[in-house]
Amino acid sequence: MVDILNLALPYFGLIFIGFACGKTRRLPESGLAWMNFFLLYVSLPALLFRIMSETPFSELNNPPFLIATTLATVSAFVLAMVAGRIIGELSLRKATMAGLAGAYGNIGYMGPGLALAVLGAKAAAPTALIFCCDSIFLFTIVPLLMALSDRKHPSFLYAIGVAARQIVLNPLIMSAAAGALVAALHIQVPVAVDRTLLFLQNAAAPTALFVLGVTVALRPFDRVPWEVPGVIAIKLLIHPLIVFGLMLLFGPFAQPWAATAVLMAALPPALNVFVMARQNNTWIEPASVAVLIGTFASVVTLTSVMWFIQSGRLAFP
């Protein structure tokens, strides 16, 4: 357990340092703009590109794994939507955001660095695949459900076009796809370029975790809406259990792949939940609270999952 704490605490420690800085310094939120740009368009794309380009293409071709992990995300999304509708009596628009909070973990900011630290290089390929598939599903379903509840959209086809643009132009998905293409064509990346990408990759995790802490600190926290605890429970507890069951059902998978899937499912709600809630002007305060409480609650739940993995208690046949 000491080894797990030594592994987990630096990650959560950076979040708490960012949180403390955000609470004490009270700098304007606009100051995060360039850091977020660096993460989204430079550092994290470099990380995902290197992960995919250095993974044999044959390992990336794993349809049962993709189906299982995506089905788990769909299930968590639907459960969180239903929880929002029943517990909070939310409209379709607000319930869609609740579904996003219950299904979309921090797979960009926390996922790659944590998975590689816990499981090593063998976690690289499943991490990138989960990120791409989850992002494609969620960046498609959310705009479509928003369109169903918003008459301002010119047409349903317009909503599909918006979703397609969000997927195709997402820098993280683009970098992962480019890395997969490099792996498939066996292209040798020049040494200077590869070293630059490695330099950027190493900056991704600490910068992302610090930004996460600062951003959470700047969010208002007046009250906890009734549906938020249920949504957080789905994200931190039920989603990993669904993944565990589907790994057994669709497997067998290699231990690092199945364990990576469970670890990624146990991540807290992503900051993108709040960003998309603000973009759609719905469920904004609850989204902020869900990210805040989910991040702090994951100190216990995520560390427990890491312990189960590292101790060998979470084993797959």
Side-chain angles (χ1 to χ4, degrees), residues 3 10 28 45-46 79 85 108 153 190 210 213 217 280 291 316:
D3 292 338
L79 286 174
R85 295 280 283 181
H153 285 302
F210 180 82
N280 290 281
V291 173
F316 296 87

Side-chain angles (χ1 to χ4, degrees), residues 207-223:
T207 305
L209 296 171
F210 180 82
V211 169
L212 173 60
V214 173
T215 306
V216 167
L218 297 180
R219 302 276 65 80
F221 185 17
D222 297 327
R223 65 183 185 87

Side-chain angles (χ1 to χ4, degrees), residues 26-34 36 214-215 218-220 274 278:
R26 308 306 300 176
L27 297 175
E29 189 175 358
S30 58
L32 291 173
W34 276 110
N36 281 315
V214 173
T215 306
L218 297 180
R219 302 276 65 80
F274 170 75
R278 189 163 55 180

Side-chain angles (χ1 to χ4, degrees), residues 75-90 95 98-99 234:
S75 301
F77 180 82
V78 172
L79 286 174
M81 273 194 71
V82 171
R85 295 280 283 181
I86 294 175
I87 300 174
E89 299 181 351
L90 303 180
I234 290 170

Side-chain angles (χ1 to χ4, degrees), residues 212-298:
L212 173 60
V214 173
T215 306
V216 167
L218 297 180
R219 302 276 65 80
F221 185 17
D222 297 327
R223 65 183 185 87
V224 180
W226 289 106
E227 69 275 8
V228 168
V231 169
I232 293 174
I234 290 170
K235 182 69 206 74
L236 299 182
L237 301 176
I238 297 178
H239 191 186
L241 290 175
I242 294 173
V243 170
F244 178 80
L246 291 177
M247 288 294 103
L248 296 177
L249 180 63
F250 283 81
F253 299 109
Q255 173 69 17
W257 280 64
T260 298
V262 175
L263 182 66
M264 295 286 279
L267 293 170
L271 275 176
N272 278 347
V273 176
F274 170 75
V275 173
M276 296 185 73
R278 189 163 55 180
Q279 287 176 346
N280 290 281
N281 194 30
T282 185
W283 211 64
I284 298 175
E285 182 180 343
S288 172
V289 174
V291 173
L292 174 61
I293 297 178
T295 299
F296 285 122
S298 69

Side-chain angles (χ1 to χ4, degrees), residues 54 91 99 133 137 141 146 196 244 273 289:
E54 295 178 357
S91 64
C133 290
F137 165 69
I141 194 65
M146 289 292 108
T196 302
F244 178 80
V273 176
V289 174

Side-chain angles (χ1 to χ4, degrees), residues 13-153:
L14 278 171
I15 296 175
F16 291 139
I17 290 172
F19 184 84
C21 292
K23 285 296 185 183
T24 56
R25 295 301 297 171
R26 308 306 300 176
L27 297 175
E29 189 175 358
S30 58
L32 291 173
W34 276 110
M35 293 187 74
N36 281 315
F37 182 89
F38 172 75
L39 281 170
L40 184 61
Y41 288 93
V42 183
S43 187
L44 286 172
L47 170 62
L48 288 175
F49 176 84
R50 290 193 83 249
I51 286 175
M52 297 295 278
S53 64
E54 295 178 357
T55 303
F57 188 76
S58 59
E59 292 186 18
L60 301 176
N61 185 22
N62 196 335
F65 182 81
L66 298 180
I67 293 172
T69 54
T70 305
L71 182 59
T73 301
V74 173
S75 301
F77 180 82
V78 172
L79 286 174
M81 273 194 71
V82 171
R85 295 280 283 181
I86 294 175
I87 300 174
E89 299 181 351
L90 303 180
S91 64
L92 177 61
R93 288 177 63 81
K94 293 180 179 179
T96 298
M97 289 297 110
L100 189 65
Y104 192 26
N106 217 318
I107 52 179
Y109 281 16
M110 293 181 70
L114 193 61
L116 292 174
V118 175
L119 292 158
K122 292 183 179 180
T127 297
L129 291 175
I130 291 170
F131 175 85
C132 291
C133 290
D134 279 9
S135 297
I136 289 172
F137 165 69
L138 292 165
F139 290 162
T140 301
I141 194 65
V142 170
L144 291 180
L145 290 177
M146 289 292 108
L148 290 175
S149 59
D150 187 359
R151 297 181 180 179
K152 293 181 181 179
H153 285 302

